């Protein structure tokens, strides 16, 4: 009977040794996993940083494209090709709907060259909403009698009543 117990003890010791080896392997895996987890966290931070850089580059490119489209529109307008000027300025407005200069340029094109006061008014209103302190900001009411202080005006036409 004692031989059976010794045999059982040897088998249990062998299982214990195997379990300790398994435990050591698991601890090593946990260590590696922890290291990988730290690397993953660092990688995620780097990805977030790079996304921020890409976003800034895209925004800068958007401004550059918008400026180029505005310049092309101005060139077509100067050359008298008002439809191409309109197309370039509309493309600029699509590139950056929040660009006040584009709205101002479109307003001038519609008002002066295409004689579309309805569209001009909409563009000028959008310009003023985007740049409330822009160059076309009203400096005060126009007074024809009384105080003749600084007045902002543009393209005033006086026509006889019919």
């Amino acid at each position: 009977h004692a031989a059976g117990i010794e045999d059982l003890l040897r088998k249990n010791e062998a299982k214990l040794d195997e379990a300790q080896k398994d435990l050591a392997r698991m601890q090593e895996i946990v260590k590696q996993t922890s290291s990988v987890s730290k690397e993953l966290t660092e990688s995620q931070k780097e990805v977030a940083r790079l996304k921020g850089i890409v976003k800034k580059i895209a925004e800068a490119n958007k401004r550059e494209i918008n400026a180029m489209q505005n310049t092309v529109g101005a060139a077509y307008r100067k050359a008298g090709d008002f439809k191409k000027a309109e197309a370039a300025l509309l493309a600029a407005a699509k590139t950056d709907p929040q660009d006040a200069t584009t709205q101002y340029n479109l307003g001038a094109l519609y008002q002066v060259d295409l004689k579309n006061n309805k569209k001009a008014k909409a563009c000028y209103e959008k310009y003023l909403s985007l740049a409330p302190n822009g160059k076309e900001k009203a400096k005060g009411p126009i007074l024809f009698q009384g105080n003749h202080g600084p007045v902002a005006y543009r393209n005033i036409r006086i026509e006889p009543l019919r």
Side-chain angles (χ1 to χ4, degrees), residues 5 7 13 49 90 124 159:
I5 292 177
D7 190 38
E13 282 179 7
R49 186 184 74 79
L90 288 173
Y124 286 141
E159 297 179 6

Side-chain angles (χ1 to χ4, degrees), residues 62 65-71 73 86-99 102-103 106:
K62 182 170 92 170
I65 291 168
N66 176 271
M68 179 191 66
Q69 291 165 325
N70 263 294
T71 302
E86 179 185 29
L89 291 171
L90 288 173
K94 186 176 180 182
T95 299
D96 186 358
Q98 301 304 310
D99 181 58
T102 300
Q103 294 304 317
L106 269 169

Side-chain angles (χ1 to χ4, degrees), residues 27-44:
Q27 287 172 334
E28 185 59 33
I29 290 170
V30 167
K31 242 191 205 176
Q32 290 173 356
T33 302
S34 177
S35 175
V36 168
S37 178
K38 285 178 187 176
E39 288 176 19
L40 179 61
T41 300
E42 290 302 315
S43 294
Q44 289 170 334

Side-chain angles (χ1 to χ4, degrees), residues 44-109:
Q44 289 170 334
K45 287 178 185 176
E46 182 65 7
V47 166
R49 186 184 74 79
L50 292 173
K51 280 183 179 179
I53 290 171
V54 168
K55 187 176 181 181
K56 286 178 185 176
I57 291 170
E59 186 63 31
N61 284 344
K62 182 170 92 170
R63 285 190 303 270
E64 291 298 320
I65 291 168
N66 176 271
M68 179 191 66
Q69 291 165 325
N70 263 294
T71 302
V72 168
Y76 278 131
R77 184 174 179 215
K78 188 174 183 178
D81 194 337
F82 305 130
K83 289 298 174 186
K84 284 185 179 177
E86 179 185 29
L89 291 171
L90 288 173
K94 186 176 180 182
T95 299
D96 186 358
Q98 301 304 310
D99 181 58
T101 301
T102 300
Q103 294 304 317
Y104 179 83
N105 291 341
L106 269 169
L109 175 73

Side-chain angles (χ1 to χ4, degrees), residues 109-120:
L109 175 73
Y110 286 134
Q111 179 186 12
V112 176
D113 303 312
L114 297 177
K115 309 296 184 211
N116 187 331
N117 288 332
K118 184 177 179 182
K119 285 186 176 182

